[in-house]
Amino acid sequence: MRQIFVGLEKEEMIILGRQGEKNVAAVIWDISQWVKDYGEGSVTLLYTLEGAENLPYPCQVTVNDGQVEWLITPTELMLGSWGKCQLIYRAGDEIVAKSPVYRTRVQVSLGEKTSDPPACFTGWVDNVLQAGVQAENAAKRAEQAVAQLED
């Protein structure tokens, strides 16, 4: 699994993965300084895709030894698009720290892997292969003709 380490001090772009991937990356933040400064607390990660009607929603994160980990799920990688995310740290009922708003990117994919070319290409591929065989045959005939002239 690819791990993406992100700092809490500056805005960064986070490439989450490619459209259609499944559980191949995790974004990790070190919040140990927040814990030192504000005491034990809880973390929320808000994520949204770009667009006026898209409201941020909370994503599932885990916290271990001062590190927040966001496993990128197929839901986040469903659409190739830009988005935003932000960590929010609460001590008790108060919001005591927020990360910068990070710009996120899900890269567009061409689709699922296939072993056979689409039907529209099979005729073209067959024509190319046939032209190759015809070229080889023509080269052999030309060699034979040259050999006969030399005799």
Side-chain angles (χ1 to χ4, degrees):
M1 176 174 304
R2 183 170 51 99
Q3 295 181 322
I4 306 163
F5 293 91
V6 180
L8 290 172
E9 299 304 317
K10 64 178 183 170
E11 293 179 16
E12 297 182 38
M13 179 166 46
I14 306 170
I15 306 231
L16 301 178
R18 290 185 180 85
Q19 182 180 12
E21 292 179 331
K22 294 176 178 50
N23 302 325
V24 296
V27 180
I28 299 169
W29 291 269
D30 183 347
I31 62 163
S32 57
Q33 190 61 49
W34 285 355
V35 175
K36 279 183 195 174
D37 292 346
Y38 307 110
E40 289 297 320
S42 63
V43 177
T44 302
L45 175 70
L46 296 178
Y47 175 71
T48 186
L49 293 175
E50 285 196 347
E53 69 276 358
N54 294 325
L55 297 174
Y57 63 89
C59 294
Q60 184 175 353
V61 294
T62 57
V63 180
N64 291 313
D65 298 324
Q67 289 195 330
V68 175
E69 182 175 306
W70 175 28
L71 178 63
I72 307 303
T73 68
T75 301
E76 283 88 38
L77 297 176
M78 203 165 32
L79 299 172
S81 63
W82 294 94
K84 297 176 184 174
C85 70
Q86 183 177 39
L87 280 179
I88 299 170
Y89 190 73
R90 288 181 173 80
D93 292 334
E94 291 188 40
I95 295 174
V96 292
K98 290 185 176 185
S99 71
V101 174
Y102 304 99
R103 189 161 169 81
T104 62
R105 177 75 177 137
V106 175
Q107 296 171 325
V108 175
S109 174
L110 294 179
E112 298 298 319
K113 180 182 179 230
T114 179
S115 58
D116 298 321
C120 62
F121 289 119
T122 54
W124 179 82
V125 170
D126 291 342
N127 289 342
V128 169
L129 293 174
Q130 184 179 6
V133 169
Q134 290 172 345
E136 286 178 7
N137 290 339
K140 287 179 188 173
R141 285 192 306 269
E143 286 176 4
Q144 291 170 352
V146 168
Q148 286 177 352
L149 289 175
E150 291 175 346
D151 289 340

